[in-house]
């Protein structure tokens, strides 16, 4: 079976990630259990074939953090 993408959750403050969950929320739960703060975790996808990152996830919808879409809007957070 060919994997087209891998779901990730990234703690941008601690600079760590969890990947491979069925949902981005599964990856986020692992990070939260290990001491990450929810406001520091963002969802992304890794596309192994093209070596690219996608920045869309339901966990990225955060009006309080000025991100009203599934896609991460802030270029600094994307980096």
């Amino acid at each position: 079976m060919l994997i087209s993408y891998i779901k990730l959750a990234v703690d941008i403050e601690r600079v760590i990630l969890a990947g491979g969950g069925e949902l981005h929320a599964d990856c986020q739960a692992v990070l939260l259990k290990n001491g990450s703060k929810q406001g520091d975790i963002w969802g992304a996808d890794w596309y192994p074939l093209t070596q690219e990152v996608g920045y869309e996830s339901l966990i990225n919808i955060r009006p309080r953090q000025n991100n009203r879409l599934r896609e991460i809007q802030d270029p600094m957070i994307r980096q």
Side-chain angles (χ1 to χ4, degrees), residues 5-45:
Y5 69 95
I6 299 167
K7 292 181 186 276
L8 307 172
V10 181
D11 182 327
I12 61 170
E13 287 300 314
R14 295 175 62 202
V15 194
I16 60 172
L17 66 82
E22 189 172 331
L23 303 171
H24 291 101
D26 297 331
C27 302
Q28 178 181 19
V30 170
L31 292 175
L32 290 170
K33 185 176 179 180
N34 287 286
S36 293
K37 297 175 188 171
Q38 193 279 327
D40 296 333
I41 302 171
W42 293 86
D45 296 308

